Amino acid sequence: MLFRSYNVSSEKFDQDMTHFFNFPNDEFTSDSVNRIVSEQEIMKHADDSILSSYYHIYLQELRSRVQFTPVSFNPDALNIALHIRSYTKTDCDPNPRRELYNPQRLPFYQNIVKHLSSIDRPKEFHIFSQEPIQDLDLGVDLKFHVSEYPSITLSHLMLADVLVTSNSSFSYIAHLFNDNVCLGRPNFFHRWKDKTIHLDMFGNFSSLEIQ
């Protein structure tokens, strides 16, 4: 199977992501994982288990193992990454809670950027999407990252000073590994980390939480 968007085979993709996350597969077996928490408990209470007791024990260690790719961030600026998912042939979940981008959602992102722009620091805004977004006028200069290789996109999202998530498992993984500021919608299917700043349906939040 060929991952056509990236022109690599599925085997190469698997190898690259395995290298990126660098999970300690040689140190953990299914038996040892099941001794920590049963499979049934993981399925029933995955969010609570991961984000409470198990988060502090394991996730920081897993983050330290990630093989980040180089990122195109400005070391002298507040680097803000907005992950925007659009409705495509392959990303076509009709569930309204996914809140996939369409032109009617432009004011939502304009509000987010307006609040972030009030922070009194040099800023750079980076847009990450799987396809070009037409007429995305957010009132600031934008740096677009379109259909970049997943390990490159994840590196940026995980290392951003401010991560604006979408209602997406890709965003969710990135926020778990991001130790800085994360913003997310409270209507997402999974529970965000406790320090995540919640966005209302109009993209409002208090920028004082990021100062």
Side-chain angles (χ1 to χ4, degrees), residues 23 38 49-50 53 61 66 73 88 95 107 126 135 167 178 197:
F23 286 145
S38 71
S49 296
I50 293 171
S53 57
E61 157 111 15
V66 173
F73 283 154
T88 69
N95 192 313
H126 297 256
D135 302 321
N167 283 1
N178 186 304
I197 298 171

Side-chain angles (χ1 to χ4, degrees), residues 157-191:
L157 300 184
M158 291 177 180
L159 296 172
D161 298 311
V162 178
L163 169 60
V164 180
T165 63
S166 63
N167 283 1
S168 149
S169 57
F170 195 85
S171 268
Y172 188 79
I173 291 171
H175 115 282
L176 288 176
F177 285 79
N178 186 304
D179 276 345
N180 299 315
V181 177
C182 297
L183 288 75
R185 291 277 289 125
N187 67 337
F188 187 46
F189 303 100
H190 299 295
R191 172 185 160 194

Side-chain angles (χ1 to χ4, degrees), residues 50 54-64 176-177:
I50 293 171
Y54 300 109
Y55 168 74
H56 298 289
I57 298 171
Y58 298 112
L59 204 50
Q60 290 301 311
E61 157 111 15
L62 293 176
R63 187 184 189 280
S64 72
L176 288 176
F177 285 79

Side-chain angles (χ1 to χ4, degrees), residues 10-24:
S10 57
E11 291 80 6
K12 178 66 164 60
F13 179 83
D14 289 345
Q15 291 171 1
D16 290 344
M17 297 312 295
T18 297
H19 171 77
F20 175 77
F21 282 103
N22 192 28
F23 286 145

